[in-house]
Protein backbone atom coordinates (compact mmCIF):
# COMPACT_ATOMS: atom_id res chain seq x y z
CA UNK A 1 0.00 0.00 0.00
CA UNK A 2 2.93 2.31 0.71
CA UNK A 3 4.08 2.04 -2.89
CA UNK A 4 0.76 3.54 -4.06
CA UNK A 5 1.06 6.37 -1.54
CA UNK A 6 4.46 7.16 -3.03
CA UNK A 7 3.01 6.98 -6.53
CA UNK A 8 0.38 9.60 -5.67
CA UNK A 9 3.09 11.94 -4.33
CA UNK A 10 5.11 11.36 -7.47
CA UNK A 11 2.20 12.34 -9.71
CA UNK A 12 1.68 15.59 -7.83
CA UNK A 13 5.41 16.29 -8.18
CA UNK A 14 5.05 15.59 -11.89
CA UNK A 15 2.29 18.22 -12.12
CA UNK A 16 4.62 20.82 -10.61
CA UNK A 17 7.42 19.86 -13.01
CA UNK A 18 5.05 20.07 -15.97
CA UNK A 19 3.77 23.49 -14.95
CA UNK A 20 7.29 24.89 -14.51
CA UNK A 21 8.32 23.56 -17.91
CA UNK A 22 5.17 24.84 -19.62
CA UNK A 23 5.70 28.28 -18.02
CA UNK A 24 9.29 28.34 -19.20
CA UNK A 25 8.24 27.45 -22.71
CA UNK A 26 5.58 30.16 -22.84
CA UNK A 27 8.11 32.78 -21.76
CA UNK A 28 10.61 31.58 -24.32
CA UNK A 29 8.09 32.12 -27.09
CA UNK A 30 7.25 35.74 -26.32
CA UNK A 31 9.75 37.20 -28.76
CA UNK A 32 8.79 34.99 -31.71
CA UNK A 33 6.78 36.37 -34.61
CA UNK A 34 3.70 34.39 -35.57
CA UNK A 35 3.23 33.05 -39.11
CA UNK A 36 0.25 34.89 -40.57
CA UNK A 37 -1.34 31.89 -42.30
CA UNK A 38 -1.13 29.82 -39.14
CA UNK A 39 -2.65 32.64 -37.08
CA UNK A 40 -5.58 32.80 -39.47
CA UNK A 41 -6.03 29.02 -39.17
CA UNK A 42 -6.17 29.32 -35.38
CA UNK A 43 -8.74 32.10 -35.55
CA UNK A 44 -10.85 30.01 -37.91
CA UNK A 45 -10.60 27.13 -35.43
CA UNK A 46 -11.67 29.46 -32.61
CA UNK A 47 -14.71 30.72 -34.51
CA UNK A 48 -15.86 27.14 -35.03
CA UNK A 49 -15.75 26.37 -31.29
CA UNK A 50 -18.17 27.04 -28.48
CA UNK A 51 -16.13 28.46 -25.62
CA UNK A 52 -18.49 29.12 -22.66
CA UNK A 53 -15.69 29.76 -20.16
CA UNK A 54 -13.73 32.06 -22.50
CA UNK A 55 -10.63 29.91 -22.36
CA UNK A 56 -9.52 31.36 -25.71
CA UNK A 57 -9.91 35.01 -24.68
CA UNK A 58 -6.18 35.55 -25.23
CA UNK A 59 -6.51 34.59 -28.89
CA UNK A 60 -6.45 38.18 -30.15
CA UNK A 61 -3.84 40.39 -31.79
CA UNK A 62 -1.01 39.54 -34.17
CA UNK A 63 1.32 37.50 -31.97
CA UNK A 64 -0.34 34.07 -31.82
CA UNK A 65 2.79 32.60 -30.21
CA UNK A 66 1.70 34.33 -27.00
CA UNK A 67 -1.79 32.86 -27.03
CA UNK A 68 -2.87 30.31 -24.44
CA UNK A 69 -2.08 26.74 -25.45
CA UNK A 70 0.24 27.74 -28.30
CA UNK A 71 3.98 27.14 -28.51
CA UNK A 72 6.07 28.25 -31.48
CA UNK A 73 9.49 27.47 -32.86
CA UNK A 74 11.82 30.08 -31.35
CA UNK A 75 13.59 30.62 -34.67
CA UNK A 76 10.99 30.24 -37.41
CA UNK A 77 7.76 31.15 -35.63
CA UNK A 78 5.95 28.03 -36.85
CA UNK A 79 3.44 26.58 -34.39
CA UNK A 80 4.86 23.44 -32.74
CA UNK A 81 2.28 22.74 -30.06
CA UNK A 82 -1.49 23.12 -29.84
CA UNK A 83 -2.51 22.21 -26.29
CA UNK A 84 -6.12 22.89 -25.36
CA UNK A 85 -6.69 19.99 -23.00
CA UNK A 86 -9.31 20.53 -20.34
CA UNK A 87 -8.01 22.89 -17.61
CA UNK A 88 -9.59 20.73 -14.90
CA UNK A 89 -6.72 18.27 -15.26
CA UNK A 90 -6.05 18.54 -11.53
CA UNK A 91 -9.39 16.83 -10.85
CA UNK A 92 -8.23 13.80 -12.82
CA UNK A 93 -4.90 13.67 -10.99
CA UNK A 94 -6.58 13.85 -7.59
CA UNK A 95 -8.91 11.02 -8.60
CA UNK A 96 -5.91 8.99 -9.65
CA UNK A 97 -7.11 5.59 -8.46
CA UNK A 98 -10.68 5.92 -9.76
CA UNK A 99 -11.70 5.04 -13.28
CA UNK A 100 -13.38 8.40 -13.65
CA UNK A 101 -15.08 8.14 -17.02
CA UNK A 102 -17.70 10.72 -16.02
CA UNK A 103 -15.51 13.55 -14.75
CA UNK A 104 -17.62 16.58 -13.84
CA UNK A 105 -15.75 19.10 -16.00
CA UNK A 106 -18.83 21.22 -16.67
CA UNK A 107 -18.67 24.41 -18.74
CA UNK A 108 -14.91 24.22 -19.17
CA UNK A 109 -15.31 21.91 -22.18
CA UNK A 110 -14.68 23.26 -25.66
CA UNK A 111 -17.32 22.23 -28.17
CA UNK A 112 -16.91 21.98 -31.91
CA UNK A 113 -14.92 20.03 -34.49
CA UNK A 114 -11.27 19.61 -35.37
CA UNK A 115 -10.56 21.61 -38.56
CA UNK A 116 -10.41 19.37 -41.59
CA UNK A 117 -7.40 21.29 -42.97
CA UNK A 118 -5.37 21.34 -39.75
CA UNK A 119 -2.57 19.39 -41.43
CA UNK A 120 -2.38 21.91 -44.27
CA UNK A 121 -2.38 25.03 -42.10
CA UNK A 122 0.07 23.99 -39.34
CA UNK A 123 2.66 21.82 -41.10
CA UNK A 124 5.26 21.93 -38.31
CA UNK A 125 2.93 20.84 -35.51
CA UNK A 126 4.57 18.23 -33.26
CA UNK A 127 2.14 18.09 -30.32
CA UNK A 128 -1.65 18.07 -30.53
CA UNK A 129 -3.53 17.85 -27.23
CA UNK A 130 -7.26 18.47 -27.26
CA UNK A 131 -8.25 15.88 -24.68
CA UNK A 132 -10.96 16.23 -22.06
CA UNK A 133 -13.30 18.44 -24.11
CA UNK A 134 -16.55 17.82 -25.97
CA UNK A 135 -15.29 17.81 -29.55
CA UNK A 136 -17.43 16.01 -32.12
CA UNK A 137 -17.07 14.87 -35.71
CA UNK A 138 -14.28 12.78 -37.16
CA UNK A 139 -10.50 12.78 -37.06
CA UNK A 140 -9.26 14.69 -40.13
CA UNK A 141 -7.12 12.72 -42.56
CA UNK A 142 -5.01 15.86 -43.03
CA UNK A 143 -3.34 14.98 -39.72
CA UNK A 144 -1.23 12.58 -41.75
CA UNK A 145 0.46 15.58 -43.36
CA UNK A 146 1.98 16.58 -40.01
CA UNK A 147 5.30 14.85 -40.61
CA UNK A 148 6.76 16.19 -37.35
CA UNK A 149 3.86 15.00 -35.19
CA UNK A 150 5.19 13.33 -32.04
CA UNK A 151 2.13 13.13 -29.79
CA UNK A 152 -1.60 13.19 -30.49
CA UNK A 153 -4.04 13.14 -27.58
CA UNK A 154 -7.73 13.44 -28.42
CA UNK A 155 -9.01 11.40 -25.47
CA UNK A 156 -12.27 12.03 -23.61
CA UNK A 157 -14.22 13.70 -26.38
CA UNK A 158 -17.21 12.70 -28.51
CA UNK A 159 -15.26 11.99 -31.69
CA UNK A 160 -16.80 9.42 -34.05
CA UNK A 161 -16.13 7.64 -37.30
CA UNK A 162 -13.13 5.64 -38.47
CA UNK A 163 -9.44 6.29 -38.04
CA UNK A 164 -7.54 7.69 -41.04
CA UNK A 165 -5.53 5.08 -42.97
CA UNK A 166 -2.49 7.22 -43.74
CA UNK A 167 -0.48 6.79 -40.53
CA UNK A 168 2.51 5.43 -42.42
CA UNK A 169 3.69 8.99 -43.13
CA UNK A 170 4.03 9.87 -39.41
CA UNK A 171 7.34 8.21 -38.67
CA UNK A 172 8.05 10.44 -35.65
CA UNK A 173 4.79 9.59 -33.90
CA UNK A 174 5.41 8.07 -30.46
CA UNK A 175 2.13 8.51 -28.55
CA UNK A 176 -1.46 8.03 -29.75
CA UNK A 177 -4.17 8.61 -27.13
CA UNK A 178 -7.71 8.32 -28.59
CA UNK A 179 -9.54 6.61 -25.72
CA UNK A 180 -13.05 7.39 -24.46
CA UNK A 181 -14.60 8.48 -27.75
CA UNK A 182 -17.13 6.97 -30.17
CA UNK A 183 -14.65 5.81 -32.79
CA UNK A 184 -15.37 2.60 -34.72
CA UNK A 185 -14.19 0.42 -37.56
CA UNK A 186 -10.97 -1.54 -37.75
CA UNK A 187 -7.46 -0.58 -36.70
CA UNK A 188 -5.61 0.52 -39.86
CA UNK A 189 -2.63 -1.68 -40.63
CA UNK A 190 -0.71 1.48 -41.49
CA UNK A 191 -0.19 1.92 -37.72
CA UNK A 192 2.16 -1.05 -37.88
CA UNK A 193 4.65 1.10 -39.84
CA UNK A 194 5.17 3.47 -36.90
CA UNK A 195 8.47 2.10 -35.64
CA UNK A 196 8.75 4.83 -32.97
CA UNK A 197 5.30 4.17 -31.53
CA UNK A 198 5.57 3.94 -27.76
CA UNK A 199 1.94 4.14 -26.60
CA UNK A 200 -1.28 3.17 -28.40
CA UNK A 201 -4.31 3.75 -26.20
CA UNK A 202 -7.74 3.27 -27.79
CA UNK A 203 -9.78 1.94 -24.90
CA UNK A 204 -13.53 2.51 -24.53
CA UNK A 205 -14.50 3.03 -28.16
CA UNK A 206 -16.39 0.87 -30.68
CA UNK A 207 -13.48 -0.60 -32.63
CA UNK A 208 -14.13 -4.03 -34.15
CA UNK A 209 -12.55 -6.62 -36.38
CA UNK A 210 -9.32 -8.50 -35.78
CA UNK A 211 -6.41 -6.92 -33.93
CA UNK A 212 -3.66 -6.69 -36.59
CA UNK A 213 -0.92 -9.25 -35.94
CA UNK A 214 1.61 -6.74 -37.14
CA UNK A 215 1.16 -4.71 -33.93
CA UNK A 216 3.08 -7.45 -32.16
CA UNK A 217 6.14 -6.62 -34.27
CA UNK A 218 6.44 -3.02 -33.03
CA UNK A 219 9.56 -3.38 -30.93
CA UNK A 220 9.36 0.07 -29.36
CA UNK A 221 5.76 -0.23 -28.09
CA UNK A 222 5.48 -0.39 -24.31
CA UNK A 223 1.78 0.30 -23.71
CA UNK A 224 -1.05 -1.21 -25.76
CA UNK A 225 -4.50 -0.50 -24.33
CA UNK A 226 -7.47 -1.72 -26.41
CA UNK A 227 -9.73 -2.27 -23.40
CA UNK A 228 -13.51 -2.15 -23.81
CA UNK A 229 -14.01 -2.42 -27.57
CA UNK A 230 -15.51 -5.09 -29.85
CA UNK A 231 -12.41 -6.78 -31.22
CA UNK A 232 -12.82 -10.38 -32.39
CA UNK A 233 -10.52 -13.17 -33.49
CA UNK A 234 -7.47 -14.59 -31.74
CA UNK A 235 -4.83 -12.90 -29.64
CA UNK A 236 -1.91 -11.67 -31.74
CA UNK A 237 1.37 -13.55 -31.05
CA UNK A 238 2.91 -10.95 -28.75
CA UNK A 239 6.29 -12.35 -27.79
CA UNK A 240 9.92 -12.08 -28.80
CA UNK A 241 9.27 -9.13 -31.12
CA UNK A 242 7.35 -7.25 -28.41
CA UNK A 243 10.04 -7.17 -25.76
CA UNK A 244 9.30 -3.58 -24.76
CA UNK A 245 5.67 -4.23 -23.75
CA UNK A 246 5.01 -3.18 -20.17
CA UNK A 247 1.20 -2.96 -20.28
CA UNK A 248 -1.01 -5.22 -22.43
CA UNK A 249 -4.69 -4.55 -21.80
CA UNK A 250 -7.18 -6.31 -24.10
CA UNK A 251 -9.95 -6.59 -21.51
CA UNK A 252 -13.67 -6.44 -22.42
CA UNK A 253 -13.57 -7.56 -26.04
CA UNK A 254 -14.76 -10.66 -27.90
CA UNK A 255 -11.43 -12.42 -28.40
CA UNK A 256 -11.43 -16.21 -28.84
CA UNK A 257 -8.93 -19.04 -28.96
CA UNK A 258 -6.24 -19.84 -26.44
CA UNK A 259 -3.53 -17.83 -24.72
CA UNK A 260 -0.51 -18.02 -27.05
CA UNK A 261 2.61 -19.35 -25.27
CA UNK A 262 4.56 -16.49 -26.85
CA UNK A 263 3.14 -14.26 -24.11
CA UNK A 264 5.62 -15.85 -21.74
CA UNK A 265 8.41 -14.24 -23.74
CA UNK A 266 7.27 -10.77 -22.70
CA UNK A 267 10.09 -10.33 -20.24
CA UNK A 268 9.20 -6.76 -19.24
CA UNK A 269 5.44 -7.13 -18.84
CA UNK A 270 3.95 -5.62 -15.67
CA UNK A 271 0.22 -5.56 -16.36
CA UNK A 272 -1.57 -8.29 -18.32
CA UNK A 273 -5.35 -8.04 -18.61
CA UNK A 274 -7.31 -10.36 -20.88
CA UNK A 275 -10.43 -10.40 -18.74
CA UNK A 276 -14.01 -10.60 -20.06
CA UNK A 277 -13.29 -12.21 -23.43
CA UNK A 278 -14.08 -15.68 -24.80
CA UNK A 279 -10.59 -17.12 -24.42
CA UNK A 280 -10.43 -20.92 -23.99
CA UNK A 281 -7.90 -23.58 -23.09
CA UNK A 282 -5.31 -23.81 -20.30
CA UNK A 283 -3.08 -21.09 -18.91
CA UNK A 284 0.50 -21.61 -20.22
CA UNK A 285 2.95 -23.07 -17.71
CA UNK A 286 5.66 -20.52 -18.34
CA UNK A 287 4.78 -17.36 -16.50
CA UNK A 288 7.73 -17.60 -14.10
CA UNK A 289 9.88 -16.18 -16.89
CA UNK A 290 8.35 -12.77 -16.23
CA UNK A 291 10.03 -12.36 -12.88
CA UNK A 292 13.57 -13.16 -13.99
CA UNK A 293 13.87 -10.12 -16.26
CA UNK A 294 11.13 -7.81 -15.03
CA UNK A 295 13.53 -5.38 -13.36
CA UNK A 296 15.48 -4.72 -16.56
CA UNK A 297 12.96 -2.26 -17.96
CA UNK A 298 13.86 1.43 -17.88
CA UNK A 299 11.95 4.43 -19.14
CA UNK A 300 13.62 6.88 -21.47
CA UNK A 301 13.53 10.66 -21.25
CA UNK A 302 10.43 12.47 -22.57
CA UNK A 303 8.27 9.59 -21.40
CA UNK A 304 4.66 8.70 -20.96
CA UNK A 305 3.48 6.66 -18.01
CA UNK A 306 -0.03 5.30 -18.45
CA UNK A 307 -1.52 3.03 -15.81
CA UNK A 308 -3.95 0.64 -17.39
CA UNK A 309 -7.55 1.14 -16.41
CA UNK A 310 -6.97 4.71 -15.33
CA UNK A 311 -7.63 7.77 -17.43
CA UNK A 312 -4.37 9.40 -16.42
CA UNK A 313 -1.47 10.36 -18.63
CA UNK A 314 1.61 12.16 -17.35
CA UNK A 315 4.21 13.71 -19.64
CA UNK A 316 7.55 14.72 -18.17
CA UNK A 317 10.76 16.06 -19.62
CA UNK A 318 14.00 14.92 -18.13
CA UNK A 319 14.59 11.76 -16.15
CA UNK A 320 11.81 9.58 -14.85
CA UNK A 321 13.24 8.97 -11.41
CA UNK A 322 10.20 10.59 -9.77
CA UNK A 323 8.23 7.43 -10.46
CA UNK A 324 10.31 5.42 -8.01
CA UNK A 325 9.80 1.67 -8.01
CA UNK A 326 6.13 1.70 -8.99
CA UNK A 327 6.61 -0.42 -12.11
CA UNK A 328 9.61 -2.50 -11.13
CA UNK A 329 7.91 -5.91 -11.28
CA UNK A 330 4.91 -7.71 -12.68
CA UNK A 331 2.10 -6.71 -10.33
CA UNK A 332 -1.25 -7.55 -11.97
CA UNK A 333 -2.74 -10.52 -13.83
CA UNK A 334 -6.43 -10.45 -14.78
CA UNK A 335 -7.74 -13.37 -16.85
CA UNK A 336 -11.24 -13.36 -15.40
CA UNK A 337 -14.54 -14.04 -17.21
CA UNK A 338 -13.17 -16.24 -19.97
CA UNK A 339 -13.48 -19.98 -20.62
CA UNK A 340 -10.05 -21.06 -19.42
CA UNK A 341 -9.68 -24.63 -18.18
CA UNK A 342 -6.99 -26.81 -16.67
CA UNK A 343 -5.08 -26.06 -13.50
CA UNK A 344 -3.65 -22.89 -12.02
CA UNK A 345 0.03 -22.86 -13.02
CA UNK A 346 2.47 -23.28 -10.13
CA UNK A 347 4.56 -20.60 -11.85
CA UNK A 348 2.18 -17.93 -10.61
CA UNK A 349 3.48 -18.47 -7.07
CA UNK A 350 6.96 -17.37 -8.20
CA UNK A 351 5.80 -13.88 -9.14
CA UNK A 352 6.74 -12.58 -5.72
CA UNK A 353 5.81 -8.95 -6.40
CA UNK A 354 2.31 -9.81 -7.64
CA UNK A 355 -0.37 -7.62 -6.04
CA UNK A 356 -3.49 -8.61 -7.98
CA UNK A 357 -4.45 -12.05 -9.31
CA UNK A 358 -7.93 -12.50 -10.78
CA UNK A 359 -8.79 -15.84 -12.38
CA UNK A 360 -12.49 -15.78 -11.53
CA UNK A 361 -15.38 -16.92 -13.77
CA UNK A 362 -13.48 -19.57 -15.73
CA UNK A 363 -13.50 -23.38 -15.79
CA UNK A 364 -10.27 -23.94 -13.87
CA UNK A 365 -10.00 -27.22 -11.97
CA UNK A 366 -7.55 -28.97 -9.68
CA UNK A 367 -6.14 -27.63 -6.43
CA UNK A 368 -5.14 -24.14 -5.40
CA UNK A 369 -1.29 -24.17 -5.47
CA UNK A 370 -0.09 -25.23 -2.04
CA UNK A 371 2.57 -22.51 -1.89
CA UNK A 372 0.31 -19.62 -2.88
CA UNK A 373 1.14 -18.15 0.52
CA UNK A 374 4.56 -17.23 -0.92
CA UNK A 375 2.87 -14.27 -2.63
CA UNK A 376 3.43 -12.04 0.38
CA UNK A 377 2.59 -8.83 -1.50
CA UNK A 378 -0.75 -10.05 -2.80
CA UNK A 379 -3.55 -7.62 -1.97
CA UNK A 380 -6.37 -9.09 -4.05
CA UNK A 381 -7.00 -12.77 -4.89
CA UNK A 382 -10.15 -13.80 -6.76
CA UNK A 383 -10.55 -17.46 -7.75
CA UNK A 384 -14.34 -17.51 -7.52
CA UNK A 385 -16.72 -19.34 -9.88
CA UNK A 386 -14.39 -22.08 -11.10
CA UNK A 387 -14.22 -25.84 -10.52
CA UNK A 388 -11.37 -25.81 -8.00
CA UNK A 389 -11.32 -28.64 -5.46
CA UNK A 390 -9.39 -29.83 -2.43
CA UNK A 391 -8.42 -27.89 0.66
CA UNK A 392 -7.64 -24.20 0.99
CA UNK A 393 -3.85 -23.90 1.50
CA UNK A 394 -3.00 -22.79 5.01
CA UNK A 395 -0.48 -20.30 3.60
CA UNK A 396 -3.31 -17.97 2.63
CA UNK A 397 -3.65 -17.04 6.30
CA UNK A 398 -0.08 -15.66 6.31
CA UNK A 399 -0.51 -13.09 3.51
CA UNK A 400 0.22 -9.78 5.21
CA UNK A 401 -1.47 -7.42 2.73
CA UNK A 402 -4.43 -9.50 1.59
CA UNK A 403 -7.50 -7.25 1.73
CA UNK A 404 -9.74 -8.90 -0.86
CA UNK A 405 -10.29 -12.66 -1.10
CA UNK A 406 -12.99 -14.51 -3.03
CA UNK A 407 -13.03 -18.31 -3.25
CA UNK A 408 -16.79 -18.68 -3.59
CA UNK A 409 -18.61 -21.12 -5.86
CA UNK A 410 -15.97 -23.79 -6.31
CA UNK A 411 -15.73 -27.37 -5.01
CA UNK A 412 -13.37 -26.71 -2.13
CA UNK A 413 -13.54 -28.87 0.97
CA UNK A 414 -12.07 -29.21 4.44
CA UNK A 415 -11.41 -26.76 7.24
CA UNK A 416 -11.06 -23.05 6.45
CA UNK A 417 -7.59 -21.89 7.60
CA UNK A 418 -7.54 -19.57 10.56
CA UNK A 419 -5.07 -16.81 11.33
CA UNK A 420 -4.80 -13.15 12.21
CA UNK A 421 -4.27 -12.10 8.61
CA UNK A 422 -7.58 -13.60 7.47
CA UNK A 423 -9.59 -11.46 9.87
CA UNK A 424 -9.71 -8.68 7.27
CA UNK A 425 -11.55 -11.04 4.90
CA UNK A 426 -13.49 -12.92 7.57
CA UNK A 427 -16.82 -12.98 5.78
CA UNK A 428 -19.04 -15.92 4.91
CA UNK A 429 -19.47 -14.70 1.32
CA UNK A 430 -15.77 -15.37 0.65
CA UNK A 431 -16.43 -19.13 0.89
CA UNK A 432 -20.07 -19.37 -0.24
CA UNK A 433 -20.98 -22.14 -2.69
CA UNK A 434 -18.39 -24.65 -1.41
CA UNK A 435 -20.48 -27.33 0.30
CA UNK A 436 -17.43 -29.22 1.54
CA UNK A 437 -15.97 -26.35 3.57
CA UNK A 438 -16.44 -26.06 7.31
CA UNK A 439 -15.30 -23.93 10.20
CA UNK A 440 -15.46 -20.21 10.93
CA UNK A 441 -16.77 -17.97 9.53
CA UNK A 442 -19.23 -20.57 8.19
CA UNK A 443 -21.85 -21.94 10.56
CA UNK A 444 -20.98 -25.50 9.52
CA UNK A 445 -18.96 -27.24 12.26
CA UNK A 446 -16.02 -29.40 11.18
CA UNK A 447 -15.96 -33.07 12.27
CA UNK A 448 -14.27 -33.44 15.65
CA UNK A 449 -15.08 -29.89 16.75
CA UNK A 450 -18.28 -30.84 18.66
CA UNK A 451 -18.26 -30.01 22.38
CA UNK A 452 -17.03 -32.82 24.61
CA UNK A 453 -19.65 -35.17 26.05
CA UNK A 454 -22.08 -34.81 23.18
CA UNK A 455 -21.16 -38.12 21.63
CA UNK A 456 -20.98 -36.53 18.22
CA UNK A 457 -24.69 -35.63 18.35
CA UNK A 458 -24.83 -32.20 16.78
CA UNK A 459 -28.38 -31.58 18.02
CA UNK A 460 -27.52 -32.19 21.65
CA UNK A 461 -24.19 -30.45 21.30
CA UNK A 462 -25.88 -27.23 20.33
CA UNK A 463 -27.98 -27.20 23.52
CA UNK A 464 -26.12 -25.65 26.49
CA UNK A 465 -26.48 -27.10 29.98
CA UNK A 466 -28.25 -25.27 32.79
CA UNK A 467 -24.93 -24.55 34.53
CA UNK A 468 -23.48 -23.02 31.38
CA UNK A 469 -26.54 -20.78 31.06
CA UNK A 470 -26.10 -19.48 34.61
CA UNK A 471 -22.42 -18.76 34.05
CA UNK A 472 -23.17 -16.87 30.86
CA UNK A 473 -25.93 -14.87 32.56
CA UNK A 474 -23.62 -13.80 35.40
CA UNK A 475 -20.87 -12.93 32.93
CA UNK A 476 -23.03 -10.64 30.80
CA UNK A 477 -24.70 -9.13 33.86
CA UNK A 478 -21.31 -8.05 35.16
CA UNK A 479 -20.17 -6.42 31.94
CA UNK A 480 -22.13 -3.20 32.45
CA UNK A 481 -21.04 -2.37 36.02
CA UNK A 482 -17.47 -3.44 35.28
CA UNK A 483 -17.21 -1.16 32.28
CA UNK A 484 -18.72 1.74 34.21
CA UNK A 485 -16.25 1.41 37.12
CA UNK A 486 -13.28 1.09 34.78
CA UNK A 487 -14.32 4.04 32.65
CA UNK A 488 -14.86 6.34 35.67
CA UNK A 489 -11.48 5.32 37.07
CA UNK A 490 -9.77 6.10 33.80
CA UNK A 491 -11.48 9.51 33.56
CA UNK A 492 -10.46 10.31 37.15
CA UNK A 493 -6.81 9.61 36.40
CA UNK A 494 -6.91 11.89 33.32
CA UNK A 495 -8.61 14.62 35.38
CA UNK A 496 -6.06 14.71 38.22
CA UNK A 497 -2.91 13.77 36.24
CA UNK A 498 -2.25 16.58 33.72
CA UNK A 499 0.81 14.94 32.11
CA UNK A 500 -1.18 11.75 31.45
CA UNK A 501 -4.06 13.80 30.05
CA UNK A 502 -1.82 15.68 27.59
CA UNK A 503 -0.06 12.50 26.47
CA UNK A 504 -3.34 10.69 26.00
CA UNK A 505 -4.92 13.33 23.79
CA UNK A 506 -1.73 13.73 21.76
CA UNK A 507 -1.71 9.99 21.16
CA UNK A 508 -5.39 10.04 20.20
CA UNK A 509 -4.83 12.90 17.75
CA UNK A 510 -1.98 11.00 16.11
CA UNK A 511 -4.00 7.79 15.93
CA UNK A 512 -7.00 9.57 14.37
CA UNK A 513 -4.80 11.31 11.81
CA UNK A 514 -3.07 8.04 10.88
CA UNK A 515 -6.41 6.24 10.64
CA UNK A 516 -7.81 8.97 8.40
CA UNK A 517 -4.84 8.79 6.03
CA UNK A 518 -4.92 5.00 5.94
CA UNK A 519 -8.66 5.00 5.23
CA UNK A 520 -8.25 7.49 2.38
CA UNK A 521 -5.48 5.45 0.76
CA UNK A 522 -7.46 2.26 1.20
CA UNK A 523 -10.55 3.75 -0.43
CA UNK A 524 -8.54 4.91 -3.42
CA UNK A 525 -6.98 1.46 -3.73
CA UNK A 526 -10.38 -0.26 -3.57
CA UNK A 527 -11.70 2.03 -6.32
CA UNK A 528 -8.84 0.89 -8.52
CA UNK A 529 -9.09 -2.79 -7.65
CA UNK A 530 -12.86 -3.08 -8.05
CA UNK A 531 -13.39 -0.70 -11.00
CA UNK A 532 -14.86 -3.56 -13.02
CA UNK A 533 -17.81 -3.85 -10.69
CA UNK A 534 -18.74 -0.17 -10.95
Amino acid sequence: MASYDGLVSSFFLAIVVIQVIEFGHSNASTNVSCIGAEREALLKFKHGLTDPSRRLSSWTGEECCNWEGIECDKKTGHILKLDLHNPCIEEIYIDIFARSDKCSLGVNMLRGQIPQDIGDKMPRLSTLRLWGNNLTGGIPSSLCKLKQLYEINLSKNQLSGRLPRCWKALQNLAGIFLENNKLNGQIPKSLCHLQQLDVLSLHRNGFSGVIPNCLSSLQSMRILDLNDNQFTGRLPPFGKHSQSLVVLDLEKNQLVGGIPPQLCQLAHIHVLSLAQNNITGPIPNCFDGFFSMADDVRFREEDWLTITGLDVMVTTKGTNQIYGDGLEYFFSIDLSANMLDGQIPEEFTRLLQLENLNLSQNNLSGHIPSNIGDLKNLESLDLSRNELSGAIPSGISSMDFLSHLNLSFNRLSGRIPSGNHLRTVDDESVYRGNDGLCGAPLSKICPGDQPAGTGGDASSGDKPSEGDVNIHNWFYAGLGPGFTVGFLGFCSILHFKRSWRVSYFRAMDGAIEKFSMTTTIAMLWFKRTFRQSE
Side-chain angles (χ1 to χ4, degrees), residues 15-180:
I15 295 174
V16 176
V17 173
I18 294 168
Q19 291 175 338
V20 171
I21 293 171
E22 300 274 344
F23 179 75
H25 284 174
S26 63
N27 284 343
S29 302
T30 55
N31 297 323
V32 180
S33 296
C34 175
I35 304 296
E38 297 183 3
R39 179 180 62 250
E40 294 304 317
L42 289 176
L43 290 175
K44 182 180 178 182
F45 182 26
K46 175 184 177 181
H47 294 322
L49 294 174
T50 301
D51 183 15
S53 59
R54 296 183 55 79
R55 289 173 53 194
L56 305 183
S57 59
S58 66
W59 284 30
T60 59
E62 299 293 321
E63 293 301 329
C64 66
C65 295
N66 297 333
W67 295 354
E68 180 182 353
I70 304 299
E71 180 180 321
C72 295
D73 187 292
K74 289 182 286 187
K75 294 182 179 180
T76 66
H78 282 292
I79 296 174
L80 299 180
K81 179 189 292 186
L82 175 56
D83 188 349
L84 295 178
H85 69 262
N86 197 290
C88 296
I89 184 174
E90 289 82 4
E91 179 175 343
I92 299 177
Y93 280 103
I94 292 172
D95 198 19
I96 194 166
F97 286 120
R99 184 158 190 150
S100 180
D101 297 307
K102 296 182 179 178
C103 254
S104 54
L105 303 180
V107 296
N108 292 307
M109 296 182 184
L110 293 173
R111 299 178 178 88
Q113 296 187 1
I114 303 173
Q116 292 298 313
D117 57 354
I118 188 172
D120 299 309
K121 301 298 185 180
M122 303 177 198
R124 303 296 179 87
L125 200 66
S126 63
T127 301
L128 178 61
R129 297 177 188 156
L130 302 174
W131 64 286
N133 287 289
N134 196 18
L135 300 177
T136 57
I139 299 177
S141 58
S142 66
L143 284 179
C144 297
K145 297 180 180 180
L146 301 174
K147 301 295 180 63
Q148 305 301 318
L149 196 61
Y150 178 77
E151 174 194 346
I152 177 172
N153 193 334
L154 305 177
S155 306
K156 282 184 171 290
N157 281 286
Q158 300 292 321
L159 299 172
S160 58
R162 296 172 178 265
L163 292 180
R165 297 186 175 275
C166 50
W167 299 94
K168 186 177 180 179
L170 305 180
Q171 288 302 307
N172 291 318
L173 195 57
I176 301 176
F177 302 87
L178 302 173
E179 65 262 20
N180 283 275

